[in-house]
């Protein structure tokens, strides 16, 4: 809940700062428009008086202004025209339809924006109807506001009015920004401390006290991480203890079986060939049990200790694996062939032998009528099994047993690339051994 409140405060502070900045900008725009309206209103009386006097002058001397379309009185800033087309020529930004301007009223017409500290280009227009109300019989008086025409006092008034507003707004935005930056910096600093502490954690240092963080929501998170790691460490210790005890018990039983099989073999030297086959099969099963036990126990430990590498002859090891697994092919129409030349690699002898044994065992167990080919190439060992009776893969839809799981685990530990390619009627496994 504390972490949630912290996140809520962080988002609330951000959106508050954002809303404050938006409100300040809206207020500046409002103040800018309001000042322009005041400027227009302050000149409205001047334009109305000019319009009244100019129209009275024209009515008093009608003979002078016979062609009303050519009438143009005043100057560039304030002027009266008797033709709307002429008004559009002077003020291109007035509406195309003259009826949009209200007669006998001051109309504000905007042109362009010149920045916060300069009066915009706009005009106030005063239509004066003569005979018709459709704008065709009107005089048009206007007062233009443009940088080249404005009185300097108008520009000064605008600047003096906007400067305090903009200055105050800039201070508010800066304070909100600094507050947000400060909060973000503190949060990043606390997260960095938490990350450094978490990076230094390990199974041996699971009970290291979490750092004291200024952000209250992160301290419970650090405590939770520490407790979770300690709980995981306890589970791992139990598993390691189980593996240690199991290793002793299983190895002892396998060693006893192996020794008794050797004694039994010596005692029963005069066995018939068929009887000796049974004894031989028992010896092979014990040997197989020994390999599988060693592999499973090694996987259960998966220590990071350096392995001792020695010279390993791949062809000789494959031949041994062939002999160890030959009993699986008895009474099966399956041939197991070895190809390749002698190749010596640096690897862990026991683990590599376990890998090769499991590859051939998996192939022998999943081939019922066909052939198994094991080949040593200059860069890899390839084992391919093809089963004539299993064209659609119905006999073994998965094709993976615990043997291949062991192969994958050990290959990764020995830095051997392990590639499996499904075939239509079998499987191709390649070990790329550097």
């Amino acid at each position: 809940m504390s972490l949630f409140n912290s996140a809520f405060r962080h988002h609330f502070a951000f959106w508050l700062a954002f809303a404050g900045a938006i409100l300040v900008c809206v207020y500046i725009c409002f103040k800018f428009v309001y000042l322009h309206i005041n400027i227009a209103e302050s000149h409205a009386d001047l334009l109305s008086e000019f319009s009244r006097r100019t129209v009275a002058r024209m009515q008093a001397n009608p003979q002078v202004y016979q062609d009303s379309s050519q009438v143009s009185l005043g100057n560039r800033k304030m002027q009266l025209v008797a033709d709307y087309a002429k008004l559009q020529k002077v003020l291109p930004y007035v509406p195309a339809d003259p009826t949009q301007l209200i007669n006998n009223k001051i109309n504000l017409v905007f042109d362009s924006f010149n920045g916060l500290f300069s009066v915009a280009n706009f005009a106030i227009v005063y239509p004066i109807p003569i005979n018709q109300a459709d704008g065709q019989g009107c005089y048009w008086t206007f007062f233009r506001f443009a940088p080249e025409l404005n009185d300097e006092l108008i520009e000064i008034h605008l600047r003096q009015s906007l400067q305090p507003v903009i200055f105050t707004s800039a201070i508010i935005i800066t304070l909100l920004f600094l507050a947000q930056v400060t909060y973000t910096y503190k949060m990043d600093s606390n997260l960095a401390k938490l990350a450094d502490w978490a990076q230094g954690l390990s199974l041996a240092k699971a009970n290291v006290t979490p750092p004291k963080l200024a952000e209250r929501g992160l301290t419970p998170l650090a405590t939770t991480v520490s407790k979770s790691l300690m709980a995981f460490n306890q589970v791992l210790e139990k598993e390691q203890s189980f593996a240690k005890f199991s290793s002793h018990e299983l190895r002892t039983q396998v060693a006893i079986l192996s020794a008794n099989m050797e004694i039994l073999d010596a005692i029963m030297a005069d066995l018939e060939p068929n009887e000796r086959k049974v004894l031989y099969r028992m010896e092979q099963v014990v040997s197989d049990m020994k390999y599988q036990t060693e592999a499973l126990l090694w996987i259960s430990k998966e220590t990071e200790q350096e392995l001792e590498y020695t010279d390993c002859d791949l062809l000789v090891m494959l031949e041994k694996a062939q002999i160890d697994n030959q009993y699986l092919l008895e009474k099966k129409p399956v041939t197991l062939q070895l190809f390749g030349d002698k190749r010596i690699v640096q690897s862990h002898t026991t683990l590599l032998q376990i890998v090769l044994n499991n590859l051939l065992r998996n192939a022998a167990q999943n081939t019922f009528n066909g052939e198994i080919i094991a080949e040593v190439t200059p860069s890899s060992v390839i084992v391919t099994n093809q089963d004539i009776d299993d064209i659609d893969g119905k006999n073994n839809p998965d094709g993976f047993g615990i043997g291949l799981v062991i192969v994958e685990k050990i290959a990764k530990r020995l830095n051997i690339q392990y590639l499996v390619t499904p075939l239509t009627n079998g499987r191709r496994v390649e070990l790329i051994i550097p």
Side-chain angles (χ1 to χ4, degrees):
M1 183 63 69
S2 179
L3 186 61
F4 171 78
N5 292 336
S6 174
F8 175 78
R9 290 197 307 272
H10 174 73
H11 286 87
F12 178 76
F14 172 78
W15 287 112
L16 180 63
F18 181 75
I22 294 295
L23 289 175
V24 166
C25 293
V26 170
Y27 177 71
I28 292 174
C29 294
F30 168 77
K31 190 69 175 177
F32 182 80
V33 173
Y34 178 75
L35 288 172
H36 278 72
I37 293 175
N38 281 344
I39 292 173
E41 289 178 347
S42 66
H43 290 77
D45 293 339
L46 179 62
L47 181 61
S48 297
E49 180 62 21
F50 170 77
S51 302
R52 187 187 62 77
R53 287 189 290 104
T54 306
V55 171
R57 177 183 173 184
M58 293 176 63
Q59 291 175 347
N61 301 283
Q63 66 280 4
V64 179
Y65 306 101
Q66 292 179 357
D67 188 0
S68 61
S69 63
Q70 300 301 320
V71 173
S72 178
L73 301 174
N75 53 34
R76 294 176 59 203
K77 181 184 293 188
M78 185 166 57
Q79 191 175 149
L80 179 144
V81 295
D83 183 62
Y84 195 73
K86 191 170 184 179
L87 177 67
Q88 289 179 312
K89 185 176 180 180
V90 180
L91 304 176
Y93 45 88
V94 295
D97 184 5
T99 59
Q100 295 183 16
L101 300 176
I102 304 173
N103 293 336
N104 294 319
K105 295 288 185 179
I106 298 295
N107 296 267
L108 182 64
V109 184
F110 181 79
D111 181 20
S112 59
F113 178 68
N114 294 322
L116 282 178
F117 293 103
S118 182
V119 177
N121 290 345
F122 72 102
I124 52 177
V125 181
Y126 188 75
I128 306 170
I130 301 175
N131 297 319
Q132 304 176 20
D134 59 359
Q136 297 300 321
C138 288
Y139 293 131
W140 310 88
T141 58
F142 63 86
F143 195 105
R144 294 174 61 193
F145 295 91
E148 68 275 9
L149 301 174
N150 291 341
D151 187 350
E152 188 176 349
L153 293 176
I154 296 177
E155 300 286 349
I156 294 174
H157 173 68
L158 180 67
R159 295 190 190 100
Q160 290 179 344
S161 300
L162 286 178
Q163 278 179 352
V165 176
I166 295 176
F167 181 73
T168 304
S169 301
I171 291 177
I172 294 173
I173 293 175
T174 302
L175 290 176
L176 290 173
F177 176 75
L178 290 176
Q180 186 66 21
V181 168
T182 302
Y183 185 83
T184 303
Y185 173 77
K186 289 183 178 179
M187 178 65 75
D188 290 343
S189 178
N190 284 292
L191 287 174
K193 290 180 181 178
L194 181 62
D196 291 341
W197 169 77
Q199 192 173 7
L201 288 177
S202 63
L203 294 177
K205 300 179 180 179
N207 59 349
V208 176
T209 304
K212 293 183 179 180
L213 303 172
E215 189 60 40
R216 292 179 298 172
L218 295 177
T219 302
L221 178 62
T223 304
T224 302
V225 171
S226 180
K227 289 181 179 179
S228 298
L229 189 59
M230 291 177 66
F232 176 75
N233 191 26
Q234 291 176 357
V235 173
L236 187 61
E237 287 179 354
K238 290 180 180 179
E239 291 183 353
Q240 288 177 342
S241 298
F242 174 77
K244 181 180 178 181
F245 297 141
S246 299
S247 173
H248 174 72
E249 295 297 329
L250 289 173
R251 281 174 176 152
T252 301
Q253 303 302 328
V254 171
I256 293 173
L257 275 174
S258 181
N260 282 303
M261 290 301 300
E262 291 178 2
I263 295 173
L264 197 61
D265 186 35
I267 293 175
M268 301 180 177
D270 55 347
L271 288 176
E272 296 293 331
N274 291 335
E275 294 173 337
R276 182 158 293 280
K277 283 183 179 180
V278 175
L279 183 61
Y280 174 73
R281 187 174 299 173
M282 293 172 63
E283 290 175 348
Q284 293 299 321
V285 170
V286 171
S287 177
D288 180 63
M289 186 186 303
K290 179 181 178 182
Y291 275 119
Q292 296 286 20
T293 301
E294 289 290 336
L296 290 173
L297 290 175
W298 182 86
I299 291 174
S300 69
K301 293 179 182 179
E302 279 193 277
T303 60
E304 295 298 327
Q305 296 178 357
E306 288 293 329
L307 298 175
E308 293 184 2
Y309 283 15
T310 57
D311 290 341
C312 300
D313 190 330
L314 294 178
L315 191 59
V316 171
M317 298 178 78
L318 268 179
E319 290 173 351
K320 184 178 185 308
Q322 179 187 22
I323 295 171
D324 291 342
N325 293 283
Q326 191 65 44
Y327 72 96
L328 294 172
L329 302 178
E330 292 180 0
K331 298 181 181 180
K332 280 186 180 182
V334 177
T335 59
L336 174 56
Q337 303 180 59
L338 300 184
F339 296 97
D341 299 325
K342 180 177 180 179
R343 184 187 171 205
I344 306 297
V345 297
Q346 287 290 314
S347 187
H348 191 278
T349 306
T350 303
L351 295 181
L352 185 57
Q353 187 67 61
I354 291 173
V355 168
L356 297 177
N357 272 32
N358 278 281
L359 279 181
L360 290 185
R361 180 181 298 107
N362 189 80
Q365 289 175 341
N366 291 280
T367 306
F368 302 93
N369 182 12
E371 63 177 351
I372 301 171
I373 299 175
E375 181 181 2
V376 178
T377 71
S379 61
S380 63
V381 174
I382 302 173
V383 177
T384 305
N385 67 296
Q386 294 182 311
D387 196 336
I388 299 174
D389 295 337
D390 190 24
I391 296 177
D392 297 326
K394 296 178 180 179
N395 292 333
N396 186 21
D398 296 326
F400 278 96
I402 191 172
L404 292 188
V405 175
I406 293 173
V407 169
E408 185 176 1
K409 289 282 187 179
I410 297 178
K412 184 177 179 181
R413 183 70 176 88
L414 296 178
N415 296 319
I416 295 174
Q417 191 173 357
Y418 172 65
L419 303 175
V420 179
T421 305
L423 303 176
T424 304
N425 57 341
R427 186 177 300 275
R428 180 180 186 271
V429 179
E430 182 177 4
L431 296 177
I432 301 177
I433 304 174

